Amino acid sequence: MTRTKLRKTWADRVAHFEASGQSAAAWCAAHHIQPHQLYYWRRKLRASEKPQTPSASLLPQWLPLEIDETSTDAEASVVIRVHQIVLEARPGCSPEWLADFVRALMSRC
């Protein structure tokens, strides 16, 4: 049986069980299925239905930004420090490159 067909078979079984109103033990006994199989597939199918959202630990952690308002240098660069990584973005820096760089940092930090 292919994975797709197996998933469909179990999706049908789980839906049938949930609509039956029976306990898992009674439904499984009537259908000659081990309860642990029903629980496994029910959990697996529910997990695949949930939208994949990043956990809170994977979301970016924003840090405070300090701006030196006394600087009058129109050509001043922006320095970004993340742990031992230092990025200096000078005027004229490509916004696309900077965005790519920040995404790369986020995926590794």
Side-chain angles (χ1 to χ4, degrees):
M1 183 178 294
T2 66
R3 287 183 186 186
T4 305
K5 188 168 183 169
L6 182 62
R7 180 176 284 275
K8 171 76 170 101
T9 298
W10 274 100
D12 292 344
R13 287 177 180 169
V14 168
H16 186 258
F17 158 68
E18 290 175 344
S20 73
Q22 293 179 302
S23 69
W27 188 88
C28 288
H31 293 88
H32 308 290
I33 294 174
Q34 295 295 317
H36 72 272
Q37 290 176 303
L38 176 66
Y39 293 131
Y40 168 83
W41 279 99
R42 191 177 187 195
R43 185 173 54 249
K44 184 177 180 82
L45 293 166
R46 282 184 179 170
S48 68
E49 291 173 1
K50 292 181 184 175
Q52 299 298 322
T53 57
S55 68
S57 64
L58 296 178
L59 295 175
Q61 301 297 315
W62 295 101
L63 301 175
L65 176 65
E66 296 175 23
I67 300 174
D68 182 5
E69 304 233 1
T70 61
S71 176
T72 58
D73 186 2
E75 293 295 314
S77 59
V78 175
V79 178
I80 300 170
R81 291 185 177 91
V82 179
H83 302 295
Q84 293 101 3
I85 301 168
V86 178
L87 168 67
E88 182 175 358
R90 296 185 179 174
C93 173
S94 163
E96 293 82 16
W97 177 85
L98 187 56
D100 289 343
F101 187 84
V102 170
R103 274 193 289 280
L105 273 178
M106 287 174 52
S107 70
R108 288 170 175 72
C109 293

